[in-house]
Amino acid sequence: MATKTKSILSLLNQIRNDQQLVLPDLQRDFVWSRDQIRLLLDSVMREYPFGSLLMWQTRFLGVPYRDFVQDYVPGATFVPKDKKEGVPLRMVLDGQQRLQSLYIAVYGTHGRRRLYLNVTSGPGASAAEDDTDDGVPAAYRFEFWQESDPNRPRRLVPVSEIVSWPARYEDAQIDKLIAEIGLKEAEAARARRNMRLLRQVMSRSDLVPVETIDDEAPDAASARNINEILDIFVRVNTGGTRLSRSDLMFSFLKTKWGGVRVAFDDLVRSIEVKSPLGIDKDFVIRGLLMVADAPVSYDVDNVQRHWEQLEPAFEQFQKALHSTVDFIRSPDIGILSRTLVQPLSTLYPLVYYLFQCKNGSVPDDQRSALKSALYFLLFNGFVRSEARIRYLRDEIKKHKGEAFPLDGVLRVVEARQKHHHTQTTAAMVEDNIKLALNLVQPTVCRETLSWQESPEVDHIFPQSVYRPKFPNLVDDIGNLAFLGKLRNIRKSNGMPLDYFKGESDDVLRDNFAIADRALLHPDRFEEFVITRRELLVSRIKAALGR
């Protein structure tokens, strides 16, 4: 496997014009930000080492692939294509992010913005500092702008325009641009150097080392098979830890499971658009291992050993996951904010149980037990390890086809966690104030579109007034309630007797768990906190059944 060197433009033209350079579908999605692209172009201009690319000549194999993206839109789903045997496509195994970034920079857009070079920037220029988000200074200023933006400075010139001039017209085009911008003397000289430098580094034939697997393979028998290629891909991308475990596992699945990219993207999008919880491909892969009764160890080797169990489980897993999300957001459960579902893996025991149910649906007679299990697992913060997922799965599996084993699940918590709660107590509700308040103030803690309605935990009696005398009670749950951010700001240090005077007794009782308006008197703070705490614990105990 000999190394050859190429110019950036020759590689980009193989993507754009010859359409002979593509991406194997086992590659992860493009993830670089605009700042990372800008920094890459700055590095190219400084002639820093580019790093080698690893290609794969796929002439003898039929392989799923996708094209490079010219106009990148974050969040887009890429539908793979099928390459037939005998078609000599080369695929990028290592270097996708760099090559895709350059393709966008020279020929495309990122989030509908095109890349421009500030032609008067560069080392020693007097322009303002242009640091990227990671704190690395960029000497050459590359900026993304919408083409139609009237505020774009004139000295910003599209990268695509600079690199597209025929060599014989280079001087004339540079002089024309300098005149149009109105640059003089030192700035004109700097602009001329920068535009020539950009063209030179893009065309340098010795800049990019390229190695190609099977470039000289004479026949199919001599070429590497897909499993060997996957092994190479995994080793290349674990040596430098450039890909996450999720990326590598997903890459493996894409070589074995046709349509997995679209299936996973559709599942994640169907949930996150309506009920954002932070569910991603990691969650799906681990969940499939769980429902397939495979080891839940989250590593590439485990997925390679058990992938054949995952695809048949996907359809029912999807139904069970949808039912679980609908369940936790239903009025009688009332979890409407992702901040309450921590850790997110707490959903796995519910998904596993519903996976065994017809159509993945929640049995009506099991809603109460599932609600109690969900809340107790969340109050305990229990589902934080692969081992605990396995313990819970084993307990539920013993009762397949039966009622949800709430008592058994709570016995697992008792046995595996020293500090635990399996009965409602004041100590339990104090361990997770927001979750506790959510049970007594349903629908208040939710994802909102405006900051004004975003929920905050408010001190009913103002802490600035009562903390000096009652430091151990002012932050007690008996003195806390959810309130919208704007209402909380307006309330400020107002006394509750005044603030709640416009609310009916029914609203105080039902929405704020305040049973007696008289307790809002400034002199009855201590009695108010103790009484309300007891009421909160009583309501939560009734809601959870224990």
Side-chain angles (χ1 to χ4, degrees), residues 169-381:
Y169 298 131
E170 178 179 297
D171 289 340
Q173 290 293 337
I174 289 176
D175 289 341
K176 179 183 176 183
L177 264 175
I178 289 174
E180 289 176 351
I181 299 172
L183 300 176
K184 303 293 184 182
E185 299 176 350
E187 284 194 326
R190 182 182 294 276
R192 183 172 285 105
R193 287 196 303 271
N194 286 345
M195 287 186 274
R196 284 177 175 164
L197 176 59
L198 178 60
R199 289 171 56 81
Q200 289 168 6
V201 295
M202 288 291 173
S203 301
R204 272 185 52 184
S205 61
D206 63 342
L207 185 66
V208 186
V210 178
E211 295 180 276
T212 304
I213 297 171
D214 289 342
D215 197 28
E216 300 176 355
D219 51 43
S222 305
R224 299 181 187 273
N225 60 43
I226 187 64
N227 288 328
E228 291 178 296
I229 293 298
L230 179 66
D231 189 47
I232 292 171
F233 178 78
V234 169
R235 293 186 185 200
V236 166
N237 287 290
T238 52
T241 62
R242 285 168 287 179
L243 293 186
S244 68
R245 287 187 299 172
S246 172
D247 290 321
L248 293 170
M249 285 184 277
F250 194 49
S251 294
F252 172 80
L253 288 177
K254 284 183 284 189
T255 68
K256 303 294 185 181
W257 176 353
V260 67
R261 175 191 294 276
V262 175
F264 275 39
D265 283 350
D266 286 350
L267 173 56
V268 170
R269 186 182 300 109
S270 69
I271 294 172
E272 291 299 298
V273 167
K274 295 183 179 180
S275 306
L277 291 169
I279 287 174
D280 54 16
K281 289 193 282 284
D282 289 40
F283 184 93
V284 175
I285 292 172
R286 194 191 296 265
L288 285 170
L289 288 168
M290 178 195 62
V291 299
D293 288 326
V296 294
S297 177
Y298 196 57
D299 58 61
V300 177
D301 289 342
N302 190 40
V303 171
Q304 288 178 324
R305 287 194 301 271
H306 299 283
W307 73 269
E308 290 179 320
Q309 299 166 247
L310 306 189
E311 184 176 0
F314 181 79
E315 183 177 355
Q316 182 69 358
F317 170 79
Q318 178 173 249
K319 292 177 181 178
L321 180 56
H322 280 158
S323 294
T324 299
V325 174
D326 286 343
F327 173 73
I328 69 172
R329 293 180 63 83
S330 59
D332 55 325
I333 311 303
I335 295 182
L336 301 179
S337 171
R338 76 179 76 189
T339 61
L340 299 178
V341 191
Q342 298 297 327
L344 187 59
S345 52
T346 304
L347 299 183
Y348 283 141
L350 276 68
V351 173
Y352 185 76
Y353 176 76
L354 296 181
F355 184 83
Q356 318 297 334
C357 298
K358 184 177 180 181
N359 294 321
S361 300
V362 179
D364 289 341
D365 61 352
Q366 297 304 307
R367 295 186 70 88
S368 178
L370 288 169
K371 176 181 180 178
S372 295
L374 172 66
Y375 271 98
F376 275 108
L377 289 173
L378 288 171
F379 273 117
N380 283 285

Side-chain angles (χ1 to χ4, degrees), residues 22 49 90 109 190 196 286 305 398 435 439 473 528:
V22 296
R90 286 191 304 148
T109 57
R190 182 182 294 276
R196 284 177 175 164
R286 194 191 296 265
R305 287 194 301 271
K398 289 190 301 185
L435 190 64
L439 276 163
L473 284 181
F528 170 83

Side-chain angles (χ1 to χ4, degrees), residues 380-438:
N380 283 285
F382 182 75
V383 194
R384 294 187 180 276
S385 68
E386 293 172 355
R388 290 183 174 188
I389 293 172
R390 187 174 69 252
Y391 297 142
L392 292 169
R393 180 180 66 179
D394 291 346
E395 177 62 31
I396 297 169
K397 187 178 180 180
K398 289 190 301 185
H399 301 275
K400 185 176 180 179
E402 303 174 7
F404 183 82
L406 174 61
D407 289 339
V409 164
L410 295 182
R411 281 196 295 271
V412 170
V413 174
E414 290 176 336
R416 300 293 175 180
Q417 184 165 299
K418 182 176 181 180
H419 175 69
H420 59 262
H421 307 288
T422 55
Q423 297 288 338
T424 302
T425 62
M428 183 186 85
V429 300
E430 290 281 358
D431 273 356
N432 195 326
I433 297 291
K434 289 185 176 180
L435 190 64
L437 291 177
N438 190 70

Side-chain angles (χ1 to χ4, degrees), residues 458-462 481-504 507-508 512 514 517 520:
D458 168 60
H459 291 80
I460 297 174
F461 280 78
F482 277 132
L483 202 62
K485 186 178 183 71
L486 184 59
R487 290 187 67 186
N488 196 16
I489 292 173
R490 289 172 174 169
K491 177 175 177 284
S492 187
N493 290 333
M495 298 302 291
L497 192 61
D498 298 325
Y499 180 75
F500 287 120
K501 66 182 179 182
E503 305 286 4
S504 68
V507 168
L508 286 181
F512 294 95
I514 299 173
R517 184 185 298 271
L520 295 175

Side-chain angles (χ1 to χ4, degrees), residues 8-9 12 101-108 114 159-160 163 202:
I8 291 174
L9 278 181
L12 298 185
S101 294
L102 290 167
Y103 189 49
I104 288 170
V106 175
Y107 291 125
R114 194 168 296 281
V159 170
S160 57
V163 301
M202 288 291 173

